[in-house]
Amino acid sequence: MPGDDKGSRTLRVDEIFYSLQGESSFAGYPCVFVRLTGCNLRCSYCDTTYAYDGGTDVEISDILREMERFGCNLVEITGGEPLLQDNVTPLVESLLERDFTVLVETNGSVDIDRAPAGAIRIVDLKCPSSGEHARNDLRNLKRLTPQDELKFVIGDRADYDFAKRMLQLISEEPGVNRIVHFSAVTGKLNPRDLADWILEDRLPVRLQLQLHKILWPEAERGR
């Protein structure tokens, strides 16, 4: 994977942009996004397939200068799957040292401890309709800290039932703040149906709408 050479201090970057945080408990806040190239999964509903390959090798020092230019202290490292690149660790550490709030969105198949302590890991556990649920690393449930968050992207009732079963596993892990989001696959599941299921079952989860897709439905990237 390009950017894995720790001596090079580079990361393969697909795009860096400034927008509103569209998901997680930080939804609605201005945020700088660093989208890294490369992913080990091929989810059926993926809306960032352009980040599977390509990108540009960028020095960490240049990424940090770009962060300062935006004047925003909330940063999300995303992908692709950002934790595939070893140099994501020194990037996150450098951002934390500069008092940025750092979110790391990860697909749940990689050890989340590759993101150093202090980062907020948003772990997207895969449901069956993704085609990749067998790749979930359930050991990550034991790696969660009180500030980390979990997300389930739900495409149908079977996905919802799977996510409910996963909630039971999550509830068995002591000492973590279980911030859990349920999000409907855009164009496949009506969010109102998902809302009805959550209310019927009285689940302790947050319905998550993809804010960026509501505000900028025509945008294919950079939002």
Side-chain angles (χ1 to χ4, degrees), residues 92-162:
V92 172
E93 289 172 342
S94 296
L95 288 167
L96 291 171
E97 288 169 1
R98 290 162 172 77
D99 294 323
F100 285 92
T101 298
V102 182
L103 314 178
V104 177
E105 185 162 5
T106 173
N107 65 26
S109 70
V110 180
D111 183 345
I112 62 173
D113 283 342
R114 295 188 65 154
I120 299 167
R121 286 87 61 96
I122 302 168
V123 184
D124 184 350
L125 290 180
K126 301 304 180 184
C127 295
S129 76
S130 72
E132 296 285 8
H133 70 288
R135 304 282 296 278
N136 287 325
D137 182 356
L138 297 184
R139 292 170 297 184
N140 280 326
L141 298 180
K142 297 183 180 296
R143 298 168 182 142
L144 296 170
T145 69
Q147 65 184 2
D148 294 329
E149 304 186 8
L150 288 164
K151 180 174 74 170
F152 294 88
V153 179
I154 295 171
D156 52 31
R157 182 72 197 204
D159 281 358
Y160 175 78
D161 291 338
F162 173 85

Side-chain angles (χ1 to χ4, degrees), residues 153-172:
V153 179
I154 295 171
D156 52 31
R157 182 72 197 204
D159 281 358
Y160 175 78
D161 291 338
F162 173 85
K164 280 202 306 180
R165 292 194 297 272
M166 293 299 298
L167 284 179
Q168 182 59 42
L169 288 179
I170 295 163
S171 70
E172 294 170 358

